Amino acid sequence: MEHIVTVQDAVTAFADFMEPTNAELDAIEREMPVILADVDLLDAHITTLDRTPTELDNRRIRRARRRALAARVALLNHTTAASLPGGAA
């Protein structure tokens, strides 16, 4: 008779090596405003999927799109300024 055992030890044996590094966590933290703005934009689009968008829906989508673009520009400006030598922008 064969015993059925869990493979939990084999699966989680390498869990420490699979964790994100501090640099990866910092990159996620820097990109969080862009991620949240994109989620808001998706929410605005999702609310209009099953109905005809009203003027209020269109405004909400436009505002969310502007916030998403502004967040992307801010991230791009931050990374560009950080990568220039001497801290010149």
Side-chain angles (χ1 to χ4, degrees):
M1 172 178 212
E2 289 184 38
H3 295 285
I4 299 174
V5 296
T6 62
V7 290
Q8 187 68 28
D9 291 334
V11 172
T12 58
F14 301 105
D16 292 338
F17 301 110
M18 296 170 46
E19 294 294 321
T21 63
N22 287 337
E24 291 170 335
L25 291 174
D26 290 340
I28 292 169
E29 189 67 30
R30 278 191 308 273
E31 294 174 10
M32 191 55 68
V34 174
I35 294 167
L36 294 175
D38 285 343
V39 168
D40 288 341
L41 180 58
L42 283 172
D43 284 342
H45 281 290
I46 288 170
T47 58
T48 62
L49 286 178
D50 61 344
R51 60 187 165 95
T52 304
T54 64
E55 182 58 34
L56 187 61
D57 293 330
N58 289 331
R59 288 182 195 171
R60 182 177 179 214
I61 290 171
R62 283 194 305 265
R63 276 195 307 266
R65 186 177 293 131
R66 282 195 305 264
R67 281 193 300 266
L69 289 174
R72 288 178 187 278
V73 168
L75 177 66
L76 182 64
N77 287 339
H78 178 69
T79 55
T80 302
S83 66
L84 289 177

